[in-house]
Amino acid sequence: MRSLLSSLQIKSSKNITMVEPTPGDILLGRGVRINNHPGNEAYREIISANAAAYAASTKSEKTNMSTKIVAQLLHSNPPRRFLEKSEETGKWQHVPLKKAVTKTSQALRDVARAAAKIDSNTSGGQGAAVAAKSTTPSSLNNNCNGFQNVSSDNAFAAGMPSHLHPPVPKLPPAPAANSIYDDNYQQQNVEPIGGLAEDALGNRLLDELGAGLLDDIIASGGGGDDDVGNFDDIFSLDLVGSNATIGEATQQEVALLEWIASSKIAHSSSHGVGVGGMTAYLESALGIAIKLTECIIKSDSTSDDSANNNHSIPLECISLRNTVVCVKDFLSMTPQEGDATVVIKCLPQSRSRGGGSGDIAERLYAVGKILVPLLSGEAEEVVEEADDSSKKSSLTMNSMNLNSDEENFPLKKKQQMKYHPAQLEHLDLPQPVMTILSNLLECGEGEFVGDEAYTSFEDLLIDLKLLKMEGLSRFLQSPNIETSTKICGREEEIEILNSSFNNRTGCQGVIIAGAGGVGKSLIAAHIFEQTRKEGGLVFATKFDQNQDVTPLATISVIFSGLIDLFATVASPSTLLSISNDLESALGIHGALLYEVLPSLSRIMPSCSQLGYYVDHVNMGNSMRFLFSKLFEILISYQTGRITMLFDDVQWADAASLGLISSLLHSNEGAKRVFFTSCYRDNEVNDSFAAWLQSISGFSLDQIKLESLTPYGVNLFVSETLRLFPRLTRPLSSVLHKKTGGNPLFLKQILSAIGGGEASPGSSSSSKGDEVCLSFSLSRRRWTWNIEKIEDLELADDVVSFIVQEMKKLSPDLVFGLKVAACIGSRMTTDVIDILSAELTMSFTVGTTLADVLHKLAQKGFLNEHICSHKAAECCTSSSALVSTLRFEFVHDKIQEAAYEFMSSKERRLNHMRFGLALYPQVTANRNDELLFMAINQVNAAGPDSVVDGGQKIIIARLNLNAGKRAGERSDFQTAFSLFQHGLSYLGADCWDKHYDTSIELFDSAAQAAVVVNNLKAVSSYTTVINSRAKCLDDKLNCIHVKLKALIHTERFQEAMEYFMEIINDFGEPALLPLDEIQEDITAMISVMKGLQDETILSLSTMTQKKTIALVNIYCDFSHVMTFINPSLLPAISLRNMQLMVQEGLCSKSPLVFASFAQSISFAGSDIDEAVRLMRLSKKLQERMGSSDIATISTMVYYVMWEAQPFQALTEEAKQSEKTAEQSGDVFAAIGSNCLVCVMSYVTGEPLADLRRKSMDILVQMKDQNMMVFYVLQALFHSQLAVLIDGPQVAEAESVDDVVFGEKKVLAEAGTDNFDAFVSFEANQLVRAFLFRKFDAASTSNFFETISNPTIPNEPYRVVTFFFAGLASFHLARESSGEKNKWMKIGDTMLEKMECWNKHIAWNFQNKMLLLKAEKMYCLGETESAAILYEESIKAAHDHKFIHEEGISHELRGHFHLERGHRSEALGSFNSSVECYKNWGALAVARRLEDFVQSISYQS
């Protein structure tokens, strides 16, 4: 059952309802009319009658009396309501119940006080009760109009405990009905509280009071002398009115004293602490304190004369007694977290006394006196003092007004009393709360005010908000310096970072730049938190300044983590699906990826069993493709977002940078991964700057980090010392000057002068008389000496400072830092174990390297991690975990400082010592990581550190092996560097004493130089080999390498000259054009026909080095011949076949067979044998493997069109593209992509799709500078655009904003570009037919061009023959004078189709039938023509050539139209239009639709 109190609350605090006052209502307001209102007069009589009893009552009895008076008035018949005018509308509205009770209590107290003063002046102080009683009118004691006169012995108080018996309230009768308010009174229909008899009302209220239900509301302020002052004419510090309404709930005003008491009770049952160690009460109280401070700031800022201390709130009004809270929850009076209904108001006691606003210190002190009871919750400690006798005045009943300004009320002595910080000790407050309060109270010390006293309300507001937001734990003090890991002073950067992260469609990452130590990694780590909050995954890796790790190992860290995650949590079905996807995407080249990423076998078991074949030149491209595919497949199985951090990328090797670029390209579309890269912008070299420029096209946001501002430094210092920023401001100012705002420098200085055990180093400045920063046990906080800190002589940069601090460490710790600095940014268990045996004598007896590193971690120089990972031999197990220990520097600058701590001589000696200690384990364990670590240590020492010649040769061979291993991992830049280091260890007599090592090192270095495009090094090394090699066989590799270098750098003319020089030196026959070697080709065809397939496949293996070199040279140079002199390609393929038959098979055999098959096809000698040899090539490729898979797949296009459906060739081209990408052959991949585009055009695939694909190809060709092929692709793209948009596109300046118009393309190609000219003419012929714009003269030129016998046949060309035949038969019908000429050309094209149809009808049957139909039509054999048209349409439909089906329908339509069969013609035309539209040739379809419309109009 709802309580009476809640019922009254609902009645009095509904959504504000406008009412009309009745004579019995009590009106709040000012003025004579309000004062003389009958209800107000009666109310004053009630107050006067009960004031004496009120004064003589206890506090709880006073509360009961005030509540009973209000309840009786509200429950009388008719109800006597408390009303006030709305400030917004000017209409009367209900006063909240709490306000009515509070005003009644105040009125009772004021009358009692006034009576007491009168009595004191006239009768010597006989007491307020007697005086009040003597002034009470006797008429008020009568029971009138149903108002019950309550006595102490009536039923209302029966059975209650004695301390709850209320005094007697006197209630007057309601005004007579014939008063001036009679009409309004009768019209107003306000129902009393339903169902309660008068006696029951009183009993019910007291029952609830006894049960404590009213205590939470009126315990402190409902009665007694601790009530708030007069609430009339509220002076608000907030814009919210006294009865603000939020939703359906009205705010209620509560005296702050009352709020404190009720809130303490409300929270007393819960002793738990919340976030940051805050109690529930303190958290709520801080909210009130913040509102109070904000209100005062707002009031002061809006004052017209605030600069002259004329603030809007007088100083005497800022007191505990004048402060109220507006709350939404009336029953508990507890403000809701973040609820806008919490409002603080200060109410002036007197505006005319001229007390002034006071200076800022006085005002802060006044607020401190409010916050002491508020934050401590000890309201009962605030004792009301006697009034100041010097400011006494009288108050009569006639002058009492419910809304007076209390102009006659005196100031309280309480406001004039002084609080002292020492008085707070007994409150046992948390340290940060004590700091706030004591610093506020210090403001009242006058000229003795302390340095830490508040000087502004803004500082107070900051402190209060910080305490509420972060809690007590933020200020939890420690005697050791623990530098903050919180991001300080980076609000703008964090905002950019958050915006980038949340922009999922427009941004795929950020690049953070800044000097060393400015906090780039910390900013990047913020994204980790954001990602984890969304349920995403985070992976991070960091590049090493020394680059002493295994090539691509840094990148592999991220992928290993990703793979381990999937292998651990994915279901068996998901793992199987992933494995299948990877096998399809990576093919046999998954084995290459496995070399770098052994964990790949956990999700693709087959990768460890495969063999791969990749040319060294293409290996880097292959690795980027493989990583990108792995990346795409794995993220496709991850629903949440992934964040990847690449830290210190300025130190990344070229292979890793290229790989990151590929990953960005793969992620650009879906943006499933958020990339974050950090680099030092003051350590950027040219190659890294070029990489930054290369990725500028990706959607990456840039963030530039500078050093911290003084504000940021202060935030950092306050976080570290666990103090309010206001207190640390002077210290921070000094530290900012000394560090320049560098966060790392700042950390080191704080650690040093604070002498913390958990921080790097210690300083004498923190000892004895030199204390600069120390922890005060008495004050329980950090303190400092500004003057001494200012006088400290510190290094100018962080590295120098750390070096100075390192000098204070013990010898063991110093040497441990040197070891760690030489090894690199991190050290693992196996390295520590190996070095421990070597370094035993370098440490104090009983101390190991691991012990020293552990102590360095305790001092903050290193981070210590325990890592769990899969054992190498258990990579597929889900349970075999190995734990290892890893130490790494906290920051690279610490490593840099430790490295600079050594002299150059000491560095070299240590590097050599550590490298030689690691070397034996390399040979014993075949561990790549140890191999590269050992060789990098030795190379850092340099050859001058080695005296023994034998040891130099060992190191040279170690570099040779490491370089080869790096090459196998596709990192040829590292490989080239290692080979150069190896050469530096060779002595002057190396060719005499160590010939094999020398020739191998020079060969390897030259080959690596080709890959890294260092032609100068290639020339240098090959020159040395040619001059020092003992025989031709030893020169073969360098001869081949030099030729490859010229080809690789596209110096084709020089390559041609060098090639001719080579074959002359080798005694090879001259290369002749096709017509001069036709007999030799025929003879070789006969030889091959005489050999069975198995015989050929079982030929012996080639062993002669010279022959192998020659075959390789011929194969490599055949690519150049395509651009220089393609007529010599048949001669090269023939010579290679001759060498193959004579010497046996080699790794190039699959390519040799494919090349010879292509030559046969071009010559048209024997198509069947060409197809057979091409199939043998594919079988050899499957058996032997080949790095030329992509090139071979491309050659299939030129041969197998006579043996396979065009659609199958399209799929072959797609597979060729995929294989080329896997092997890293970019040129072959783009070429295969072109073939896919062309074959899709030939087979009638949708033109819009081809147009988009062609645009991508053009962009790729530009990127790779493939301008020879770019012209052909541009003309093809223009053809697609014409068929879709219309012939006008050909005249445009540009097409799709990717290529110029046809005229400009041809002009740039030049007149000697025969291929471009032929392609253009072929396109013109196709357009002439499809758009029905024939010109006899130009068509003759087309036929001449495309019929050139030197042009090899391929699908695009043979389709052009088809259009040439159609055009010729059309012209034969149209031109009677040249009919025979055109018929002859048409017959020639028909014969070609008939010939090819014998080999593969699928590709040519419909074409042959349509040409026959056109021929029959020309000859007048209409019946045969009609049948052939039908058969052609069916064949085209069955063989899925939809575009050619459309052509057949259209020609059949013209055939019927010219014969007068209009209905059949229209049906054929409509079918043709549908086919053209499905093909995507919209312009062609529109042309035919216009024609159909014209003939329909004519009919």
Side-chain angles (χ1 to χ4, degrees):
M1 186 181 216
R2 190 173 58 184
S3 72
L4 174 60
L5 176 63
S6 61
S7 299
L8 292 174
Q9 172 68 9
I10 292 172
K11 280 290 183 185
S12 61
S13 63
K14 292 180 180 178
N15 286 344
I16 298 173
T17 303
M18 302 309 172
V19 298
E20 292 296 332
T22 68
D25 292 336
I26 298 95
L27 306 181
L28 277 66
R30 62 179 66 246
V32 176
R33 184 176 179 180
I34 298 297
N35 196 49
N36 293 335
H37 179 68
N40 286 38
E41 291 179 345
Y43 180 72
R44 285 196 295 272
E45 292 180 359
I46 296 172
I47 296 300
S48 180
N50 291 278
Y54 182 85
S57 302
T58 64
K59 184 174 181 179
S60 60
E61 290 174 341
K62 291 176 180 179
T63 300
N64 294 345
M65 177 177 287
S66 302
T67 305
K68 282 185 60 179
I69 290 174
V70 173
Q72 288 281 18
L73 288 171
L74 292 174
H75 194 61
S76 62
N77 188 15
R80 297 167 182 264
R81 303 165 299 176
F82 286 79
L83 304 178
E84 65 181 351
K85 276 190 176 182
S86 168
E87 295 179 2
E88 297 180 358
T89 65
K91 300 291 184 66
W92 290 100
Q93 63 186 18
H94 291 279
V95 172
L97 175 61
K98 177 62 192 88
K99 187 171 183 179
V101 173
T102 304
K103 284 188 175 294
T104 301
S105 297
Q106 182 66 52
L108 288 166
R109 186 181 70 245
D110 292 342
V111 173
R113 285 179 177 177
K117 291 176 183 178
I118 295 172
D119 181 68
S120 176
N121 292 333
T122 60
S123 61
Q126 293 298 315
V130 176
K133 186 174 182 180
S134 66
T135 61
T136 305
S138 60
S139 60
L140 294 182
N141 293 322
N142 299 325
N143 186 4
C144 305
N145 254 2
F147 274 78
Q148 181 180 354
N149 187 21
V150 182
S151 64
S152 60
D153 56 351
N154 65 8
F156 193 81
M160 295 296 291
S162 59
H163 69 277
L164 290 180
H165 285 183
V168 182
K170 308 295 185 180
L171 301 180
N178 59 1
S179 69
I180 59 173
Y181 293 93
D182 182 60
D183 293 338
N184 290 335
Y185 183 77
Q186 297 297 331
Q187 292 173 4
Q188 185 67 31
N189 181 22
V190 181
E191 296 182 2
I193 300 174
L196 283 178
E198 294 174 359
D199 286 78
L201 169 66
N203 290 333
R204 179 82 171 275
L205 277 170
L206 288 180
D207 287 343
E208 293 187 2
L209 182 63
L213 296 178
L214 300 183
D215 292 345
D216 289 345
I217 300 177
I218 337 172
S220 300
D225 294 339
D226 288 337
D227 279 351
V228 296
N230 194 310
F231 284 82
D232 303 331
D233 188 22
I234 295 174
F235 185 80
S236 175
L237 297 182
D238 202 281
L239 298 179
V240 180
S242 60
N243 288 310
T245 301
I246 304 296
E248 296 185 357
T250 304
Q251 295 180 11
Q252 300 300 307
E253 292 178 355
V254 182
L256 183 55
L257 277 170
E258 186 177 344
W259 184 92
I260 294 171
S262 61
S263 295
K264 287 285 285 186
I265 295 173
H267 294 301
S268 62
S269 61
S270 174
H271 301 285
V273 293
V275 178
M278 297 263 279
T279 64
Y281 171 79
L282 181 56
E283 189 171 1
S284 297
L286 281 170
I288 299 296
I290 289 169
K291 287 290 185 180
L292 171 61
T293 309
E294 287 176 338
C295 289
I296 294 177
I297 290 174
K298 182 186 296 184
S299 173
D300 290 353
S301 66
T302 56
S303 173
D304 294 335
D305 197 18
S306 59
N308 295 322
N309 290 334
N310 292 326
H311 304 276
S312 56
I313 306 174
L315 175 61
E316 65 270 17
C317 297
I318 306 177
S319 68
L320 178 66
R321 180 168 307 285
N322 285 355
T323 306
V324 295
V325 183
C326 286
V327 294
K328 184 164 112 177
D329 186 349
F330 184 78
L331 292 179
S332 68
M333 286 182 282
T334 302
Q336 303 300 308
E337 180 67 26
D339 195 337
T341 63
V342 179
V343 180
I344 306 300
K345 299 181 177 181
C346 277
L347 309 167
Q349 292 179 322
S350 174
R351 298 188 187 178
S352 62
R353 285 195 293 268
S357 301
D359 60 21
I360 191 66
E362 291 175 320
R363 297 172 70 79
L364 285 165
Y365 174 68
V367 171
K369 292 193 294 182
I370 298 175
L371 296 191
V372 169
L374 174 60
L375 298 182
S376 66
E378 300 296 338
E380 61 272 14
E381 297 293 331
V382 183
V383 180
E384 179 64 40
E385 296 294 325
D387 293 341
D388 187 353
S389 59
S390 64
K391 295 187 177 182
K392 295 176 181 177
S393 61
S394 62
L395 181 68
T396 66
M397 277 295 301
N398 291 331
S399 66
M400 184 178 68
N401 189 301
L402 291 177
N403 292 279
S404 72
D405 290 336
E406 297 193 25
E407 294 177 354
N408 298 316
F409 281 16
L411 288 174
K412 308 292 188 298
K413 283 188 178 180
K414 179 68 178 174
Q415 292 181 319
Q416 300 166 11
M417 292 179 61
K418 288 292 184 181
Y419 278 83
H420 299 282
Q423 295 173 323
L424 303 175
E425 294 298 330
H426 73 284
L427 295 178
D428 193 26
L429 295 171
Q431 183 60 38
V433 178
M434 185 73 77
T435 298
I436 291 175
L437 296 179
S438 62
N439 291 166
L440 279 171
L441 296 182
E442 285 174 6
C443 295
E445 299 294 327
E447 61 183 16
F448 301 104
V449 65
D451 293 336
E452 295 183 354
Y454 282 99
T455 58
S456 71
F457 279 103
E458 286 73 17
D459 279 346
L460 172 60
L461 183 61
I462 291 172
D463 288 359
L464 290 171
K465 286 186 174 180
L466 184 63
L467 179 56
K468 179 170 173 55
M469 181 172 59
E470 300 194 17
L472 299 176
S473 60
R474 192 275 190 197
F475 302 92
L476 187 62
Q477 293 290 326
S478 169
N480 293 325
I481 290 287
E482 298 174 358
T483 53
S484 172
T485 58
K486 183 179 179 181
I487 299 174
C488 299
R490 302 295 191 189
E491 290 78 8
E492 292 184 8
E493 290 84 356
I494 292 298
E495 185 177 352
I496 296 173
L497 203 58
N498 290 337
S499 176
S500 302
F501 183 75
N502 295 326
N503 185 10
R504 294 176 181 270
T505 58
C507 178
Q508 68 161 323
V510 293
I511 298 179
I512 305 173
V518 297
K520 300 182 295 295
S521 303
L522 187 60
I523 289 288
H526 171 75
I527 289 300
F528 283 13
E529 298 178 14
Q530 302 295 100
T531 305
R532 292 189 179 103
K533 286 179 182 177
E534 294 186 2
L537 304 174
V538 295
F539 300 94
T541 192
K542 179 180 174 65
F543 290 95
D544 192 348
Q545 184 174 8
N546 297 333
Q547 294 185 3
D548 56 0
V549 295
T550 309
L552 292 180
T554 305
I555 293 284
S556 298
V557 168
I558 283 184
F559 281 91
S560 294
L562 200 54
I563 288 171
D564 290 342
L565 177 70
F566 276 94
T568 303
V569 305
S571 64
S573 60
T574 300
L575 285 175
L576 179 61
S577 178
I578 292 174
S579 178
N580 292 336
D581 289 347
L582 288 173
E583 288 177 359
S584 174
L586 308 183
I588 62 172
H589 297 88
L592 174 61
L593 188 57
Y594 173 71
E595 291 286 338
V596 178
L597 198 59
S599 60
L600 179 64
S601 60
R602 298 191 68 193
I603 56 174
M604 183 186 173
S606 62
C607 67
S608 60
Q609 309 299 324
L610 299 172
Y612 64 91
Y613 309 92
V614 180
D615 185 86
H616 284 172
V617 175
N618 299 323
M619 191 174 286
N621 295 331
S622 176
M623 191 65 75
R624 287 194 290 273
F625 172 82
L626 297 174
F627 265 108
S628 296
K629 282 300 176 184
L630 173 63
F631 172 79
E632 292 171 8
I633 290 172
L634 290 183
I635 66 174
S636 69
Y637 282 87
Q638 168 63 17
T639 55
R641 205 170 190 191
I642 297 175
T643 291
M644 292 184 176
L645 169 62
F646 300 92
D647 201 2
D648 281 333
V649 287
Q650 78 278 356
W651 292 326
D653 55 279
S656 296
L657 290 176
L659 182 50
I660 294 174
S661 298
S662 298
L663 298 179
L664 287 169
H665 184 271
S666 299
N667 190 55
E668 183 68 12
K671 296 182 176 63
R672 298 282 299 279
V673 174
F674 189 81
F675 284 93
T676 306
S677 298
C678 302
Y679 74 94
R680 296 185 185 178
D681 55 1
N682 59 339
E683 299 183 27
V684 173
N685 55 32
D686 292 341
S687 60
F688 182 74
W691 179 79
L692 287 175
Q693 181 62 34
S694 70
I695 64 170
S696 60
F698 295 117
S699 51
L700 297 168
D701 289 339
Q702 306 283 334
I703 296 178
K704 175 69 169 68
L705 280 189
E706 304 288 355
S707 293
L708 291 175
T709 63
Y711 165 77
V713 170
N714 187 40
L715 286 182
F716 177 83
V717 174
S718 72
E719 286 282 347
T720 298
L721 302 184
R722 306 297 186 100
L723 296 172
F724 290 107
R726 169 182 57 85
L727 301 177
T728 57
R729 202 174 289 145
L731 172 62
S732 300
S733 176
V734 174
L735 293 178
H736 180 266
K737 292 177 182 178
K738 291 189 173 293
T739 64
N742 184 285
L744 179 62
F745 201 174
L746 194 59
K747 287 181 181 180
Q748 300 305 314
I749 285 184
L750 281 173
S751 299
I753 65 177
E757 283 299 313
S759 305
S762 60
S763 174
S764 60
S765 61
S766 63
K767 305 291 189 294
D769 295 334
E770 297 297 323
V771 170
C772 295
L773 178 66
S774 61
F775 188 81
S776 172
L777 295 178
S778 61
R779 299 184 64 183
R780 293 180 293 171
R781 49 161 283 191
W782 285 91
T783 59
W784 50 86
N785 187 318
I786 287 292
E787 290 77 12
K788 289 184 177 180
I789 295 176
E790 287 178 333
D791 293 340
L792 287 178
E793 294 183 3
L794 301 177
D796 294 332
D797 62 89
V798 64
V799 173
S800 300
F801 178 81
I802 296 174
V803 169
Q804 293 301 318
E805 292 301 307
M806 287 178 178
K807 292 179 179 178
K808 303 166 187 175
L809 298 175
S810 67
D812 281 352
L813 296 185
V814 169
F815 188 68
L817 281 173
K818 293 177 180 180
V819 174
C822 287
I823 293 298
S825 61
R826 62 185 67 89
M827 292 179 66
T828 55
T829 300
D830 50 355
V831 176
I832 295 172
D833 292 343
I834 295 171
L835 293 180
S836 291
E838 169 67 23
L839 304 176
T840 302
M841 302 301 295
S842 302
F843 295 113
T844 304
V845 177
T847 302
T848 65
L849 176 60
D851 296 335
V852 171
L853 295 177
H854 180 68
K855 290 180 181 179
L856 288 170
Q858 290 179 325
K859 287 188 170 291
F861 290 102
L862 304 176
N863 286 327
E864 184 175 357
H865 303 282
I866 297 178
C867 309
S868 297
H869 58 85
K870 297 287 179 182
E873 65 274 11
C874 304
C875 61
T876 59
S877 171
S878 60
S879 58
L881 291 176
V882 177
S883 294
T884 59
L885 194 63
R886 187 180 80 242
F887 292 93
E888 58 186 26
F889 281 98
V890 170
H891 196 279
D892 299 311
K893 287 293 183 182
I894 299 178
Q895 180 187 0
E896 185 179 338
Y899 200 69
E900 287 191 7
F901 197 50
M902 298 177 281
S903 65
S904 59
K905 180 179 180 181
E906 185 181 6
R907 291 176 200 164
R908 291 194 300 271
L909 290 175
N910 282 336
H911 280 304
M912 183 61 67
R913 181 184 180 186
F914 302 153
L916 293 178
L918 293 169
Y919 170 69
Q921 299 299 321
V922 172
T923 55
N925 300 328
R926 300 184 60 83
N927 184 312
D928 280 353
E929 186 173 357
L930 289 178
L931 167 65
F932 287 104
M933 185 174 290
I935 198 60
N936 278 302
Q937 289 297 308
V938 172
N939 289 338
D944 293 340
S945 302
V946 184
V947 178
D948 182 75
Q951 197 173 57
K952 283 189 175 183
I953 291 300
I954 291 175
I955 295 174
R957 290 211 62 86
L958 190 61
N959 273 287
L960 176 62
N961 295 335
K964 289 180 177 180
R965 196 73 187 98
E968 291 170 359
R969 289 171 166 264
S970 79
D971 187 356
F972 285 95
Q973 190 65 54
T974 298
F976 181 56
S977 176
L978 290 169
F979 293 142
Q980 287 182 308
H981 278 295
L983 292 173
S984 69
Y985 285 92
L986 295 178
D989 58 351
C990 63
W991 289 99
D992 297 328
K993 295 184 177 180
H994 307 286
Y995 179 83
D996 291 341
T997 299
S998 300
I999 195 74
E1000 192 173 3
L1001 259 174
F1002 273 94
D1003 262 344
S1004 299
Q1007 189 165 346
V1010 172
V1011 181
V1012 300
N1013 207 21
N1014 190 335
L1015 192 60
K1016 183 178 180 180
V1018 173
S1019 177
S1020 174
Y1021 296 144
T1022 54
T1023 299
V1024 172
I1025 293 173
N1026 282 327
S1027 64
R1028 305 303 296 266
K1030 295 179 179 179
C1031 60
L1032 178 61
D1033 284 356
D1034 289 344
K1035 297 179 181 181
L1036 293 176
N1037 282 337
C1038 82
I1039 292 171
H1040 186 203
V1041 164
K1042 184 176 180 180
L1043 180 63
K1044 287 175 69 174
L1046 294 172
I1047 296 172
H1048 188 60
T1049 55
E1050 297 185 4
R1051 298 164 67 170
F1052 294 148
Q1053 192 58 44
E1054 291 182 54
M1056 182 70 176
E1057 295 172 0
Y1058 187 58
F1059 171 74
M1060 291 301 181
E1061 180 184 333
I1062 292 172
I1063 62 174
N1064 287 335
D1065 290 346
F1066 280 31
E1068 285 292 288
L1071 300 176
L1072 302 173
L1074 178 62
D1075 56 346
E1076 297 185 36
I1077 60 171
Q1078 190 65 56
E1079 292 183 4
D1080 294 332
I1081 289 178
T1082 302
M1084 179 55 64
I1085 292 174
S1086 298
V1087 171
M1088 299 308 296
K1089 282 186 173 182
L1091 299 174
Q1092 298 293 324
D1093 288 358
E1094 284 304 318
T1095 302
I1096 295 174
L1097 296 173
S1098 302
L1099 288 174
S1100 60
T1101 301
M1102 193 178 293
T1103 57
Q1104 294 293 324
K1105 287 185 177 181
K1106 178 182 177 181
T1107 308
I1108 294 173
L1110 266 175
V1111 172
N1112 285 327
I1113 290 170
Y1114 276 129
C1115 287
D1116 286 345
F1117 198 69
S1118 62
H1119 298 299
V1120 180
M1121 283 298 189
T1122 303
F1123 305 103
I1124 299 177
N1125 190 353
S1127 64
L1128 297 182
L1129 286 174
I1132 292 178
S1133 66
L1134 173 64
R1135 181 56 184 152
N1136 265 337
M1137 279 300 294
Q1138 292 169 344
L1139 292 173
M1140 206 68 56
V1141 171
Q1142 295 169 6
E1143 301 286 343
L1145 302 176
C1146 67
S1147 61
K1148 291 291 183 179
S1149 294
L1151 179 60
V1152 170
F1153 275 76
S1155 299
F1156 190 62
Q1158 184 178 7
S1159 297
I1160 297 174
S1161 177
F1162 283 177
S1165 304
D1166 192 324
I1167 293 177
D1168 291 336
E1169 186 62 19
V1171 170
R1172 172 180 175 245
L1173 291 177
M1174 185 59 73
R1175 286 174 174 156
L1176 279 171
S1177 169
K1178 296 175 73 173
K1179 288 183 179 180
L1180 283 170
Q1181 175 184 309
E1182 292 172 359
R1183 288 193 180 188
M1184 305 174 60
S1186 173
S1187 60
D1188 303 301
I1189 297 176
T1191 305
I1192 295 170
S1193 299
T1194 304
M1195 292 178 175
V1196 169
Y1197 167 80
Y1198 293 97
V1199 177
M1200 300 306 291
W1201 64 270
E1202 297 180 82
Q1204 291 181 202
F1206 284 159
Q1207 288 87 349
L1209 282 179
T1210 305
E1211 295 305 313
E1212 289 263 9
K1214 290 179 181 178
Q1215 182 59 42
S1216 171
E1217 177 189 3
K1218 183 177 179 180
T1219 304
E1221 289 176 331
Q1222 292 172 347
S1223 61
D1225 193 338
V1226 177
F1227 289 91
I1230 296 175
S1232 298
N1233 206 358
C1234 289
L1235 293 184
V1236 172
C1237 212
V1238 169
M1239 288 306 304
S1240 298
Y1241 170 80
V1242 169
T1243 56
E1245 294 295 320
L1247 295 178
D1249 294 344
L1250 300 184
R1251 190 176 188 173
R1252 287 190 292 270
K1253 190 175 186 67
S1254 177
M1255 291 172 65
D1256 293 339
I1257 292 172
L1258 288 166
V1259 172
Q1260 293 172 9
M1261 286 182 167
K1262 274 187 177 180
D1263 292 342
Q1264 298 297 328
N1265 198 30
M1266 298 173 63
M1267 301 315 295
V1268 175
F1269 298 105
Y1270 181 84
V1271 172
L1272 299 178
Q1273 187 64 30
L1275 293 173
F1276 175 76
H1277 187 80
S1278 180
Q1279 178 77 345
L1280 297 176
V1282 167
L1283 297 179
I1284 296 172
D1285 298 333
Q1288 74 279 357
V1289 175
E1291 305 299 324
E1293 289 294 322
S1294 66
V1295 180
D1296 293 336
D1297 296 326
V1298 293
V1299 292
F1300 295 120
E1302 283 186 338
K1303 292 181 180 179
K1304 192 167 184 178
V1305 169
L1306 284 172
E1308 291 190 351
T1311 56
D1312 58 342
N1313 192 327
F1314 182 70
D1315 290 335
F1317 179 69
V1318 171
S1319 178
F1320 175 76
E1321 293 294 328
N1323 290 343
Q1324 295 300 314
L1325 176 59
V1326 173
R1327 291 178 203 172
F1329 178 82
L1330 290 177
F1331 289 101
R1332 312 298 286 179
K1333 294 182 178 180
F1334 294 101
D1335 176 72
S1338 60
T1339 305
S1340 296
N1341 294 333
F1342 298 160
F1343 291 151
E1344 277 187 34
T1345 301
I1346 66 173
S1347 300
N1348 190 319
T1350 62
I1351 303 175
N1353 291 331
E1354 40 82 23
Y1356 194 75
R1357 185 173 187 240
V1358 300
V1359 169
T1360 306
F1361 290 152
F1362 169 59
F1363 279 98
L1366 295 176
S1368 63
F1369 287 127
H1370 174 82
L1371 291 172
R1373 290 197 302 274
E1374 296 293 327
S1375 57
S1376 57
E1378 295 184 322
K1379 181 175 181 179
N1380 291 335
K1381 168 189 171 183
W1382 295 117
M1383 287 295 293
K1384 183 177 180 181
I1385 294 175
D1387 285 339
T1388 301
M1389 302 304 162
L1390 176 57
E1391 288 173 3
K1392 289 181 180 290
M1393 297 300 151
E1394 288 175 334
C1395 176
W1396 291 327
N1397 184 62
K1398 293 177 182 178
H1399 291 283
I1400 177 153
W1402 181 278
N1403 293 339
F1404 298 102
Q1405 184 182 37
N1406 71 297
K1407 301 174 181 62
M1408 178 192 69
L1409 290 173
L1410 186 57
L1411 288 176
K1412 281 186 176 181
E1414 286 287 281
K1415 179 179 181 179
M1416 294 298 103
Y1417 184 20
C1418 289
L1419 297 176
E1421 299 181 14
T1422 56
E1423 291 184 4
S1424 297
I1427 295 172
L1428 289 168
Y1429 281 127
E1430 294 295 338
E1431 291 177 349
S1432 173
I1433 290 171
K1434 184 178 185 304
H1437 179 79
D1438 291 345
H1439 299 162
K1440 305 185 185 309
F1441 297 115
I1442 193 170
H1443 56 317
E1444 293 173 359
E1445 182 184 351
I1447 294 171
S1448 298
H1449 275 299
E1450 182 179 2
L1451 294 182
R1452 178 176 176 270
H1454 286 293
F1455 170 73
H1456 284 301
L1457 183 63
E1458 292 177 14
R1459 294 177 63 213
H1461 302 159
R1462 184 175 298 275
S1463 177
E1464 289 86 345
L1466 290 176
S1468 294
F1469 288 144
N1470 289 335
S1471 296
S1472 177
V1473 167
E1474 183 179 356
C1475 289
Y1476 286 148
K1477 287 183 177 179
N1478 288 336
W1479 181 31
L1482 303 182
V1484 180
R1486 286 195 300 270
R1487 186 267 306 164
L1488 185 54
E1489 286 177 327
D1490 292 343
F1491 174 74
V1492 171
Q1493 187 176 5
S1494 67
I1495 63 175
S1496 299
Y1497 177 77
Q1498 293 172 2
S1499 64

